[in-house]
Amino acid sequence: MDSKFLPFVLLFLLLLLSFSIISAAIPVPEAVIFGQHLTSEPTTTNDFPPSTFSEVMKPIQLPNTKACSTLLLQHDFGNSYGSPPASVQYTRPSNCSSTDFTKIVLEWNATCKGRQLSRIIGIWLSGAELFRSYTAQPRARGIVWTVKKDITRYYSLLMSNKTQTLAVYLGNKVDNHTNGVYHVNVSIHYYPPEKKTKTNTKTTTLHVNSDHVFKEWADLIIPISQNLPPLNDALWLKIYYSNDVKTKQFAIPPNVYRVVLEVYVSVDEADQLWPKNFPNDYLSANNLTGYPGNGPFREVVVSLDGKIVGAVWPFTIVSTGAINPFLWRPISGIRAFDLPSYDIEITPLLGSLLNGKLHDIAFSVTNAFNVWLIDANLHVWLDAKSEKTKGMLLNQTISPLHNSVNSNFTGFVGTFVTSVQRSIKSTGWVETSFGKVVTESTQDFNLSNIMVMGHEGGAQTVNQQLSLTTVWIPRCSGQ
C-alpha cells in the first residue's frame, strides 16, 4: 500500500472501530446513522465572524519564488442542481514575468451561511477533471474554507496555447429547509522556477539506458468524461447499479510511448459509506428493507475494448454531513476537501491502441448501489523524434476476483467476515526512437472486513483493512 495513505487508513479505521449506535431491538435506520444530517443552531447576528474550516493535509512543496496568481471564477451556487456547470474561458497566463513554471496550484475558496447539506464539487478544464471535493457544511454564523491542490501534473493542458473552458459544478438546492448559498472563488497560482530549468521536462532516468529520460508530466491529456456542452449536470459518468456500464471512446496519436489512466471516483446516496453495508442474507433473513446491501466490498473495474485492464478499490471518504456533522467541525474528514485520484498504468497495452482507430474505455462498479460518479484523464507521453511508435502485449494475467463471505448470525446479532483478493499484471513493449521499452505493470489488492452486529442489531462495529500494491517497471533495451 502507498505509504502516503497509511495514516489516513489508520484514522479511518479508528473512527469505524469507535463508532457504535445503540437502539431498541432492531437495527437503527440507515438514514439515521449514516445519511447526511442537517444541524439546528440558533439564529445569529452579523456580530460573529464566520468559522474557518480546514483539512489536515501535507503541505505543498513550493519553490522559493513569487507566484503569479489569476482569479478565474467567482460564482454563487444557489439552486444549481440540474443546471449546467458554471464556466469561464481559460487561457495560459500572459501577464506573468515568467513563461515557465515549476509548480501550479489550484485554490478553492468558499463561504456559506445558514443550513445546507454537504455537496459534491468538480472542476474540469477542457473536460479533464482537475479537482473533486465535498463542501463544508455551513453554520448559522457562516463558514469559510480554502483548499489548495497541486495541479502541476496537468502542465501540458494548463500551458496549451488554445482557449479552453474551465467548468465548475456544485449541485446545490435552496429551499425552506436548506437555505445556504455557496459563494465561490477559484484561482490558480503559477510559481516560476528558482533557476532556469523547464518543469515540463523534469525527468526520471531509466537506469538501464542513461541516454534517455522519461518526462515527468504527460505531453497530452485526453478527457474521459461527458461532453460540455450541452449538459445540465456535472461531467462525470453516473453508475447506478452493479450491472451498469458507462463507456467512452478515445483515440491516441501514432507516436505514443506511455499512457496512464487517472481515475476520479466519488459516491453519493446509498453507497456513501459502503464498508458498513449489510450482507444480503442478513437483510433477507431479518426481513429488513430500506438498507443498502450487497455487503462491504466495492471495486471500480476499468475495461479497454471489452477486456479488463485495471481496477480501483477506492478509499472511503466521509463527507462533512455524514454520520454526525459535529465530528467535522472545524476539521473535515480525511481527504473530504481534496478527493484522491487513482492511476492505472496501461502502457503494456499500447500495441493495441496505436492503430489510429477509436477505442472503448468502460467503467463498472462491483456490487454498486446508486450512485457512483466516475470520470478519468488519459495522460499520454509522445515520442518527439518519431512519427510512429509500435508495441505489443507480451503477457497479461488477471486473476478472478476471489470474494469470500462468512456469515454467522442469529436474528439481528452476528459476525460477518469478508475477504477479497485481486491481481492484475501486464507486460508489453513499445518501439521508440530511443529503443525498445519493456513495461511491466502490476496491481495487487487485498481486503479484509469484519462486521459485528450486537445489541439486537442496534450496534455495528466494522474493522476493515485494505492494501494495494502497484508497480510500474520500465526497462529500455537501447537502440
Side-chain angles (χ1 to χ4, degrees), residues 70 153 170 180 195 281 373 474:
T70 302
R153 74 177 301 184
L170 193 167
K195 57 182 180 179
D281 56 350
L373 311 174

Side-chain angles (χ1 to χ4, degrees), residues 118-166:
S118 177
R119 307 297 189 180
I120 302 177
I121 304 160
I123 299 179
W124 297 261
L125 182 59
S126 290
E129 185 158 6
L130 308 180
F131 176 71
R132 191 175 298 194
S133 177
Y134 285 104
T135 63
Q137 195 174 70
R139 306 179 61 181
R141 64 188 288 181
I143 62 167
V144 60
W145 80 101
T146 299
V147 186
K148 293 183 178 181
K149 179 181 179 180
D150 183 353
I151 57 170
T152 316
R153 74 177 301 184
Y154 308 106
Y155 195 96
S156 62
L157 188 65
L158 293 161
M159 293 294 104
S160 170
N161 290 322
K162 298 179 181 178
T163 298
Q164 306 177 75
T165 298
L166 182 86

Side-chain angles (χ1 to χ4, degrees), residues 60 62-63 65-72 90 93 96 100-109 146-152 155 158-159 185-192:
I60 300 173
L62 300 173
T65 56
K66 183 179 180 180
C68 176
S69 301
T70 302
L71 175 62
L72 296 176
Y90 172 90
C96 300
D100 183 28
F101 307 101
T102 192
K103 189 73 71 173
I104 305 177
V105 176
L106 175 75
E107 179 177 336
W108 166 280
N109 179 270
T146 299
V147 186
K148 293 183 178 181
K149 179 181 179 180
D150 183 353
I151 57 170
T152 316
Y155 195 96
L158 293 161
M159 293 294 104
N185 292 336
V186 176
S187 304
I188 294 184
H189 307 289
Y190 305 86
Y191 291 86

Side-chain angles (χ1 to χ4, degrees), residues 106-317:
L106 175 75
E107 179 177 336
W108 166 280
N109 179 270
T111 64
C112 189
K113 185 176 182 179
R115 303 176 77 232
Q116 192 52 263
L117 295 171
S118 177
R119 307 297 189 180
I120 302 177
I121 304 160
I123 299 179
W124 297 261
L125 182 59
S126 290
E129 185 158 6
L130 308 180
F131 176 71
R132 191 175 298 194
S133 177
Y134 285 104
T135 63
Q137 195 174 70
R139 306 179 61 181
R141 64 188 288 181
I143 62 167
V144 60
W145 80 101
T146 299
V147 186
K148 293 183 178 181
K149 179 181 179 180
D150 183 353
I151 57 170
T152 316
R153 74 177 301 184
Y154 308 106
Y155 195 96
S156 62
L157 188 65
L158 293 161
M159 293 294 104
S160 170
N161 290 322
K162 298 179 181 178
T163 298
Q164 306 177 75
T165 298
L166 182 86
V168 180
Y169 186 81
L170 193 167
N172 194 29
K173 292 182 179 180
V174 175
D175 54 32
N176 292 334
H177 300 287
T178 55
N179 58 9
V181 175
Y182 289 101
H183 309 282
V184 173
N185 292 336
V186 176
S187 304
I188 294 184
H189 307 289
Y190 305 86
Y191 291 86
E194 296 183 29
K195 57 182 180 179
K196 194 65 176 180
T197 58
K198 290 189 176 182
T199 300
N200 60 330
T201 57
K202 187 177 180 181
T203 56
T204 300
T205 303
L206 279 172
H207 298 291
V208 294
N209 182 6
S210 60
D211 295 331
H212 180 68
V213 289
F214 270 130
K215 289 180 289 186
E216 184 174 4
W217 312 125
D219 299 289
L220 175 67
I221 299 174
I222 301 173
I224 310 295
S225 61
Q226 295 198 76
N227 297 327
L228 177 74
L231 184 64
N232 290 325
D233 201 347
L235 278 70
W236 45 58
L237 309 170
K238 293 185 177 181
I239 294 178
Y240 290 95
Y241 48 87
S242 58
N243 293 327
D244 194 6
V245 179
K246 291 297 188 292
T247 303
K248 291 288 292 184
Q249 290 190 320
F250 72 95
I252 63 173
N255 60 331
V256 175
Y257 69 86
R258 187 186 180 195
V259 180
V260 173
L261 184 71
E262 177 195 19
V263 183
Y264 279 89
V265 179
S266 59
V267 193
D268 200 7
E269 301 182 28
D271 261 358
Q272 193 172 52
L273 291 174
W274 70 90
K276 50 73 199 167
N277 279 21
F278 297 119
N280 291 337
D281 56 350
Y282 177 80
L283 297 177
S284 177
N286 289 290
N287 196 28
L288 295 173
T289 59
Y291 295 82
N294 288 356
F297 171 69
R298 300 293 183 271
E299 176 187 52
V300 178
V301 180
V302 181
S303 300
L304 180 63
D305 293 331
K307 298 180 180 179
I308 295 176
V309 294
V312 174
W313 290 16
F315 180 73
T316 307
I317 307 296

